[in-house]
Amino acid sequence: MTGPHAGPPHDPAESAREKLRPEHYDYFAGGAGEETALRENEDAFGRLALLPRVLRGGADRDTRVSVLGRRWPAPLFVAPTAFHRLAHPDGELATARAAAATGTPLVTGMAATTAVADVVTAARETDPDAVVWFQLYLQPEHEVTAELVLRAERAGCSALVVTVDSPVFGRRTRDLRNGFHDLPPGLAAENMRDLPGAAPGETRDIAMRPAGWDDLAGLRELTDLPLVLKGVLHPEDARAAVEQGVDALVVSNHGGRQLDAAAASVEALPAVAEAVAGRVPVLMDGGVRRGTDIALALALGARAVGVGRPVLWALATGGEAGVREALTALREDFDQVLALCGGHRPQDLTADQVVPRGLPYRPQGPTADQVAPSGLPHRPRRGERAW
């Protein structure tokens, strides 16, 4: 509904807050430190605008993209997130079925509360061709990493998403305040069960460590699966990754959960895309909430984008049906934005269609030789500080 009696926009996070225990909501919603990086992931999109192209004719549109030899229905995937059974009893199984039903590729988390084999089975029962990737943290013990890779292969995952932005755990203020350090009884990180070094039937902790390029080379010797490097923000790391033979990159600041001073993902994206120069697909996650965000990311060099928290909020409030509805809505929203920008395919979105919001004046206002047009005083842009 529009007009003077329209209500406030629906906030999926607030709806989920009503369903979740406070400490579980904070675990999903929170970030590192003062949560600057968390906020900036979304706010950075708000500082950008799209310049639509017009009179391009044709009503036919095709939102499909090609990633690692597969055609995805839309430039959208489910990013890896942990502990889905905190959000809903069906947890990752519901997420997998919903993703498969909408044709959305799923990256299942290493810290999932459902084992990777069961996640892939649930997805493939819905769609035999469902794309499921496995997120991997390189573990200190080679045999533990090797066993995790073998499990992902046996389950039928078609790529490994190696998260490399976590040499240590981020300091997450909300979890520290709530004393949330472990899962409640009955839940566990199931991919970590029965691994080398663990007692029979028991789980190991996921270790964070400062891995090196030699560890990535060692992983390549373990598997023929495509390796997708997640957590890249610096263009020199992107160049090095391509030279090391990775198959794709994910520009990500870990949802603002690691380094609080990290750049927003969409801010780091253009330089990474330029460094890669089309040699491998560049994906992105962090702060994507609507079709315009997807369009902006694609225009700035991403092949596809991942969503994390929106899936968790939908899972908490509506289970499998909620996730299916949320993913469908995002895809439909992007399709409309693509049309409004004059595009027929995702590749039609280009960097020249992205501009910063606000007049091109410095934060302090126009200089002596830049006089603001009458009736258009300088207004700080969203997120802009008066230094």
Side-chain angles (χ1 to χ4, degrees):
M1 186 170 77
T2 59
H5 302 294
H10 171 64
D11 186 345
E14 285 303 310
S15 297
R17 186 198 290 267
E18 297 173 3
K19 298 280 188 177
L20 297 171
R21 292 176 60 91
E23 66 272 24
H24 297 166
Y25 171 82
D26 277 350
Y27 172 77
F28 291 137
E34 298 177 0
E35 300 188 343
T36 302
L38 171 67
R39 292 189 300 272
E40 282 294 296
N41 270 348
E42 290 190 53
D43 288 350
F45 280 110
R47 292 192 292 270
L48 299 174
L50 285 161
L51 294 177
R53 301 301 302 274
V54 298
L55 297 176
R56 293 194 158 190
D60 59 310
R61 288 187 305 283
D62 184 354
T63 62
R64 292 178 299 172
V65 294
S66 179
V67 181
L68 299 184
R70 293 289 300 270
R71 294 285 279 177
W72 296 2
L76 179 69
F77 66 95
V78 177
T81 48
F83 306 157
H84 286 208
R85 289 184 64 197
L86 285 181
H88 189 275
D90 293 340
E92 288 85 2
L93 298 180
T95 304
R97 289 190 289 261
T102 59
T104 308
L106 166 68
V107 183
T108 188
M110 186 162 152
T113 42
T114 305
V116 60
D118 296 329
V119 172
V120 175
T121 296
R124 300 273 165 78
E125 285 176 348
T126 302
D127 177 5
D129 295 322
V131 175
V132 183
W133 295 354
F134 180 69
Q135 180 209 25
L136 177 70
Y137 292 96
L138 295 167
Q139 296 300 284
E141 302 89 348
H142 179 77
E143 62 272 20
V144 174
T145 297
E147 175 62 22
L148 289 165
V149 170
L150 183 60
R151 291 180 184 183
E153 290 178 333
R154 287 175 174 169
C157 293
S158 53
L160 297 176
V161 179
V162 188
T163 299
V164 292
D165 58 8
S166 304
V168 295
F169 279 103
R171 187 175 179 84
R172 297 169 191 168
T173 308
R174 298 196 207 193
D175 293 344
L176 294 172
R177 182 180 65 227
N178 293 329
F180 180 71
H181 304 297
D182 204 355
L183 289 166
L187 297 183
E190 292 296 335
N191 291 312
M192 303 304 291
R193 192 178 297 281
D194 288 321
L195 288 169
E202 297 299 315
T203 61
R204 293 176 54 115
D205 290 336
I206 297 175
M208 301 293 168
R209 71 184 186 98
W213 292 108
D214 54 338
D215 295 292
L216 192 67
L219 178 62
R220 176 60 81 190
E221 294 177 358
L222 287 175
T223 183
D224 292 327
L225 288 177
L227 300 184
V228 181
L229 213 61
K230 182 178 187 297
V232 177
L233 294 174
H234 199 291
E236 290 305 317
D237 289 335
R239 289 190 183 93
V242 174
E243 291 167 1
Q244 291 288 328
V246 302
D247 299 283
L249 299 176
V250 183
V251 177
S252 172
N253 66 12
H254 211 108
R257 296 167 71 82
Q258 285 296 101
L259 176 64
D260 193 29
S265 296
V266 74
E267 292 175 331
L269 172 62
V272 170
E274 181 180 7
V276 169
R279 289 174 288 174
V280 300
V282 174
L283 314 177
M284 193 212 82
D285 69 23
V288 175
R289 300 293 182 266
R290 54 193 65 83
T292 50
D293 299 339
I294 301 174
L296 285 163
L298 266 58
L300 293 174
R303 182 79 56 87
V305 302
V307 289
R309 288 182 179 90
V311 170
L312 292 168
W313 305 147
L315 180 64
T317 55
E320 179 183 340
V323 176
R324 188 167 59 246
E325 180 181 350
L327 293 174
T328 300
L330 262 176
R331 179 176 167 181
E332 291 176 348
D333 192 23
F334 169 70
D335 180 65
Q336 184 191 45
V337 172
L338 179 63
L340 291 170
C341 286
H344 301 275
R345 301 167 301 165
Q347 304 93 296
D348 293 338
L349 296 164
T350 52
D352 62 298
Q353 292 180 264
V354 180
V355 294
R357 289 197 177 275
L359 296 172
Y361 300 138
R362 296 188 303 178
Q364 293 82 4
T367 60
D369 59 345
Q370 292 178 311
V371 179
S374 176
L376 291 175
H378 170 73
R379 294 183 176 86
R381 297 191 296 272
R382 182 181 176 191
E384 188 175 85
R385 295 183 179 91
W387 296 104

